[in-house]
Amino acid sequence: MEKGWHKREREHSNFSKSRSKTGTLRSNAKTYTLKGREMSVFQTLRSIQKQSKAFATLGSGNLLAIVEVPEDMINDNIAAVGDREPDMELAEMERIANIEAKKEWLAANTVDFFNELSLLYGMVESFHVEAARRSTYEDLVKEYKEKKPPVKLPPFNNGFPEGFVHAKLNKDGDGIVYVNDTIIWLEDIIDNPAVFPELEDEAFPVDFETKYVPEMFKKMTRIFAIIYSVCWPIVAEYEADTHINTCFKHFYFFMKRYKLLKKKSDLSMFQSPRLKKIVDLEALDKEYKRCETLLAESKK
């Protein structure tokens, strides 16, 4: 039998592979592939809106509720543990079931966030390519300066957020290479059954939630930061800011709920003054605390 996370992912995800091993994205800034067919930006955003659980909570003030492990996943794991160990005490059965359900929930959401992020980046990749290379950056600056109203692009930084020191991320110092390599790395981890097991009798590795998931979220956080900083002019042009903000808020709340960012420096890409005006992490932290209070009160 399939693990719960894999069954949920197979049933609910319509997302295709984003890249080949050679690093070729099967998309451009206008269209990209979903189940083998090209989609416009509008269709893409609508697809993400339908797939993402976060959009269902807009206006409710209870986004944190959707990051909690669902009761049905816990109950399914209790039943599975009971089938394996029928003589086990109920309290121990529930303890083990909660541990296994949490790992399945982390796995399902990690894959969901990766799928969303791959599509979002596919929408802006052509812009990122031009903004990351000095030979095309100046032409891009002129193009956006002539728009009505004119749009000021962020300073050139090889496709990374302004002020971010990128030398450690890849030797070429190119944001395009970094994102491409990162997406391929993430896909390889997800496709590795030793890390993301698909069958019920296969266990997650012991360091799944302490090593693999935090590292994957750290890398996805960097891609979000690149979209917010380098690619924001095209995001605004596509009127996709609400979609990206909602996806990122869900991602950020999930990351905080399960303490997946181990160092404050993992958010260093968000520290430029320009980026703080676009995405305010302090405001998100305050909203997270408010949602925590609402969730606690709802459980009384």
Side-chain angles (χ1 to χ4, degrees):
M1 292 181 63
E2 291 178 298
K3 276 194 176 294
W5 80 266
H6 187 257
K7 183 178 179 182
R8 286 170 180 260
E9 176 59 24
R10 182 173 53 74
E11 290 175 346
H12 295 118
S13 177
N14 289 324
F15 299 100
S16 68
K17 289 291 184 184
S18 58
R19 292 173 186 260
S20 69
K21 293 298 182 182
T22 59
T24 303
L25 183 68
R26 298 198 294 268
S27 69
N28 57 40
K30 295 293 183 184
T31 59
Y32 51 94
T33 303
L34 182 60
K35 275 195 169 177
R37 58 190 178 86
E38 289 193 337
M39 302 175 64
S40 68
V41 170
F42 174 76
Q43 289 173 318
T44 298
L45 296 176
R46 287 288 296 167
S47 176
I48 293 173
Q49 184 172 337
K50 289 170 66 177
Q51 293 292 329
S52 175
K53 298 181 286 294
F55 284 88
T57 69
L58 281 176
S60 70
N62 199 25
L63 180 59
L64 191 58
I66 67 171
V67 308
E68 295 294 315
V69 181
E71 286 295 325
D72 63 334
M73 183 174 276
I74 295 173
N75 292 334
D76 287 347
N77 275 275
I78 291 174
V81 174
D83 290 341
R84 296 197 309 263
E85 303 287 346
D87 298 328
M88 184 179 289
E89 294 287 337
L90 179 59
E92 180 64 8
M93 194 181 296
E94 290 177 343
R95 185 188 71 80
I96 293 174
N98 273 279
I99 292 172
E100 294 183 354
K102 180 183 176 183
K103 289 181 178 179
E104 289 190 7
W105 187 235
L106 288 172
N109 280 273
T110 300
V111 175
D112 281 346
F113 286 129
F114 169 74
N115 285 333
E116 289 180 11
L117 185 57
S118 295
L119 287 177
L120 290 173
Y121 181 73
M123 183 177 63
V124 303
E125 189 196 27
S126 288
F127 183 92
H128 189 209
V129 169
E130 295 185 36
R133 293 168 183 167
R134 193 172 291 279
S135 59
T136 51
Y137 172 76
E138 296 301 330
D139 290 337
L140 203 61
V141 169
K142 291 177 183 177
E143 177 187 340
Y144 275 80
K145 188 176 181 180
E146 292 172 358
K147 290 184 180 292
K148 295 182 180 180
V151 177
K152 185 178 180 181
L153 266 59
F156 180 78
N157 194 33
N158 296 89
F160 288 100
E162 178 184 356
F164 181 78
V165 179
H166 49 73
K168 291 183 179 180
L169 296 185
N170 69 320
K171 61 182 180 180
D172 297 321
D174 187 331
I176 299 299
V177 174
Y178 175 74
V179 174
N180 184 75
D181 288 350
T182 297
I183 288 178
I184 291 173
W185 181 86
L186 289 165
E187 276 190 334
D188 286 346
I189 295 295
I190 290 169
D191 289 342
N192 184 353
V195 181
F196 281 78
E198 298 176 3
L199 301 179
E200 191 173 306
D201 60 350
E202 296 173 341
F204 287 96
V206 293
D207 52 359
F208 178 73
E209 59 182 294
T210 58
K211 174 186 174 183
Y212 288 102
V213 176
E215 185 65 19
M216 295 175 80
F217 270 78
K218 180 175 73 175
K219 291 181 182 295
M220 287 192 285
T221 299
R222 289 173 175 169
I223 298 177
F224 264 117
I226 287 171
I227 293 173
Y228 267 116
S229 54
V230 183
C231 306
W232 197 249
I234 196 69
V235 170
E237 188 172 320
Y238 288 159
E239 298 182 346
D241 47 332
T242 297
H243 288 75
I244 291 181
N245 286 338
T246 302
C247 290
F248 180 71
K249 184 189 290 186
H250 181 199
F251 175 86
Y252 188 73
F253 276 24
F254 190 90
M255 197 161 50
K256 283 184 68 69
R257 169 63 182 82
Y258 296 103
K259 298 179 174 60
L260 299 176
L261 276 189
K262 303 303 181 183
K263 302 176 183 177
K264 287 186 178 181
S265 60
D266 291 338
L267 293 171
S268 59
M269 277 191 170
F270 288 88
Q271 298 310 308
S272 73
R274 183 187 186 95
L275 192 48
K276 285 181 178 180
K277 292 179 181 179
I278 298 173
V279 54
D280 187 344
L281 296 184
E282 290 184 4
L284 285 179
D285 288 338
K286 290 179 181 178
E287 184 172 353
Y288 179 89
K289 289 181 179 180
R290 180 180 66 82
C291 288
E292 267 190 325
T293 302
L294 289 173
L295 188 62
E297 290 176 351
S298 70
K299 292 181 177 180
K300 291 181 181 179

